[in-house]
Amino acid sequence: MIALTGSGLSLDELATELRRLTGLARRGTLAAEHLTGGTFTLNNYGGLQVDGATPILNHPQAAMIGVGRITDRAWVKDGPVEVRKVVNMSLTFDHRSCDGGTAAGFLRHVVDSLTSPGQLGGCP
C-alpha cells in the first residue's frame, strides 16, 4: 500500500507522484509514512500468477480491490464461445463504512469502467 496524503493534486501531478513513489518502493527506499494510514488499497496479486485472494483490511482502511492475473478463458459472448482475456477482481470492505449494496455498486462501476472506458463521463 502506498498512502498519498494531502489533497488538491491534478491528475498529472498525481500520476507523477505515483511514479515517484512506485520507484522508491521498488528500490526499497520508501519512507514509512507512505506505507501507513491509507483508507483504500489497490492490490495486484496477478503479478504473482494468482487468480484470486481474500484480502484482509488493516485499520484505518475502508476497502481494498484485489486484481488477479489476466488469463485467456473460454467466454460466451452473444451466443458463440470466444477466447477472451479475463481477470478476477475482489472487493473487501468494512461494513461499518458502507453496506454491501453500495460496495457491490462500486465494484460494478469499476468493472464497467474497465470494460467500456469510452462510456466514462468526459472521455472521447
Side-chain angles (χ1 to χ4, degrees), residues 76-120:
V76 177
K77 176 68 174 165
D78 299 324
V81 176
E82 301 175 358
V83 175
R84 302 196 70 170
K85 299 286 185 193
V86 177
V87 62
N88 287 323
M89 297 180 73
S90 58
L91 175 65
T92 298
F93 61 97
D94 187 337
H95 278 274
R96 294 172 295 182
S97 61
C98 71
D99 66 39
T102 301
F106 170 72
L107 185 57
R108 176 80 263 157
H109 177 74
V110 170
V111 170
D112 290 345
S113 297
L114 292 171
T115 56
S116 299
Q119 300 298 315
L120 293 173

Side-chain angles (χ1 to χ4, degrees), residues 25-101:
R26 287 182 175 153
R27 291 188 297 277
T29 58
L30 191 61
E33 69 256 14
H34 290 295
L35 297 172
T36 59
T39 57
F40 189 91
T41 297
L42 175 61
N43 186 356
N44 176 13
Y45 42 78
L48 303 172
Q49 298 304 304
V50 175
D51 291 325
T54 306
I56 297 173
L57 295 177
N58 295 308
H59 180 74
Q61 291 178 319
M64 178 185 304
I65 284 186
V67 181
R69 66 183 172 158
I70 300 171
T71 58
D72 289 330
R73 301 244 174 98
W75 201 262
V76 177
K77 176 68 174 165
D78 299 324
V81 176
E82 301 175 358
V83 175
R84 302 196 70 170
K85 299 286 185 193
V86 177
V87 62
N88 287 323
M89 297 180 73
S90 58
L91 175 65
T92 298
F93 61 97
D94 187 337
H95 278 274
R96 294 172 295 182
S97 61
C98 71
D99 66 39

